[in-house]
Amino acid sequence: MYQVKEFNLSRLNGISDQTLEMHFKLYEGYVKETNRLTEAIAEILKDGRVDQEEMPAYSELKRRLGFEYNGMVLHEYYFSNLKKDGGEDPAGNSAFRKAVESNFGSFDLWKTDFTSVGKMRGVGWAICYLDPLHGQLSNHWVTLHEVGNVAGFIPVLVMDVWEHAFLLDYKPAERPKYIEAFFSNLHWQTVEERLSKKRHA
Ligand SMILES: [Fe+2]
C-alpha cells in the first residue's frame, strides 16, 4: 500500500495555495486509486488463477495501472521540485548546468527546449530525464501520465502542464505565464540531487 506524501508547499510565486490544495487532493486520488487497483488485482489472483471470464476485468485493471501509478509518482516528483523562494538559476559550477551545457550547448537553449515542450498542445508533462547509462539529459513530452516515459531513465525535472495545474490562476491560453511561475519556484537543489541519483521524488 502506498501512503500519501505530505508536501510542505504554500505561498509560492504565481501558483496559489488554492491551486496547490486542489492539486494535493488530486494527487491523493492517484495514490488511492493505485492502491485500489492493486487490491482488486490481488483479489482476482487469490484463487491462484485468472479465469477466462475474469480476463476482461483483469485486463482493464492492468491497463489502468500505468495511468494511476504514473499519476501518483509524477505528482510526487513535481511537488518535490518546487519550493517557496526557489527559482534562482543553477550556479555556473552546478552539475545540472554543466550537463545541459554539454548536451544542449547552453542552459538557455535547454530551457527553451524544456519550456517549449511544456507549451505543446494537449494535457501532460514536460520532463527532463537523465539517461543513467550515458549521463545524457533530454526533455520529453508525456501525454496523460503514462505515454512517452522513457524506461529506466531518471526524471530530474518534472513540470505538470495539465490545465488543473494552473486553471485557477491563469486562463487556458496563459500556460506560458504558469510555466514562468513554475520556474520562479524551482527547487534546483532537488534537481541536482536527482542528477546525482541521491534521491527520487
Ligand atoms: Fe497534476
Side-chain angles (χ1 to χ4, degrees):
M1 293 283 278
Y2 288 96
Q3 303 295 323
V4 174
K5 290 187 179 165
E6 296 284 335
F7 298 94
N8 188 17
L9 273 187
S10 62
R11 293 185 293 138
L12 294 181
N13 179 36
I15 300 173
S16 65
D17 287 356
Q18 208 188 350
T19 292
L20 286 171
E21 268 147 43
M22 179 274 302
H23 214 164
F24 292 146
K25 280 271 162 236
L26 213 83
Y27 152 67
E28 223 177 290
Y30 285 110
V31 179
K32 284 186 182 153
E33 200 57 14
T34 298
N35 289 334
R36 202 185 64 77
L37 290 181
T38 305
E39 275 173 17
I41 290 165
E43 189 58 34
I44 292 176
L45 289 173
K46 225 162 147 188
D47 60 359
R49 46 190 282 179
V50 180
D51 299 326
Q52 196 57 37
E53 64 272 17
E54 287 173 323
M55 203 57 194
Y58 175 83
S59 305
E60 180 55 22
L61 292 167
K62 279 287 181 193
R63 287 202 176 96
R64 283 168 52 196
L65 264 189
F67 179 77
E68 302 296 347
Y69 255 86
N70 281 294
M72 171 176 73
V73 169
L74 288 179
H75 279 104
E76 290 170 356
Y77 275 101
Y78 171 73
F79 293 131
S80 338
N81 58 213
L82 288 173
K83 82 181 256 234
K84 187 178 152 15
D85 300 326
E88 219 168 281
D89 280 353
N93 60 353
S94 92
F96 182 81
R97 185 181 279 273
K98 283 186 182 156
V100 291
E101 280 172 355
S102 124
N103 296 162
F104 288 82
S106 70
F107 177 79
D108 287 346
L109 205 53
W110 165 81
K111 190 172 172 181
T112 298
D113 187 53
F114 185 83
T115 54
S116 301
V117 171
K119 290 171 192 167
M120 283 169 60
R121 291 176 68 78
V123 292
W125 301 78
I127 304 180
C128 177
Y129 283 103
L130 167 69
D131 171 352
L133 273 187
H134 304 96
Q136 289 258 120
L137 290 173
S138 50
N139 297 322
H140 296 258
W141 169 255
V142 168
T143 303
L144 300 174
H145 303 308
E146 76 278 35
V147 182
N149 289 292
V150 188
F153 278 27
I154 298 164
V156 293
L157 178 58
V158 174
M159 178 168 68
D160 192 340
V161 287
W162 282 59
E163 281 171 356
H164 65 242
F166 60 88
L167 214 56
L168 296 177
D169 304 325
Y170 305 97
K171 295 190 178 78
E174 292 178 328
R175 199 193 279 191
K177 281 192 190 169
Y178 157 73
I179 293 174
E180 224 173 276
F182 171 83
F183 265 87
S184 74
N185 298 295
L186 250 180
H187 194 351
W188 282 107
Q189 197 192 328
T190 301
V191 175
E192 296 282 337
E193 285 171 7
R194 287 174 186 163
L195 193 58
S196 65
K197 296 177 231 163
K198 278 190 216 142
R199 61 187 272 183
H200 296 286

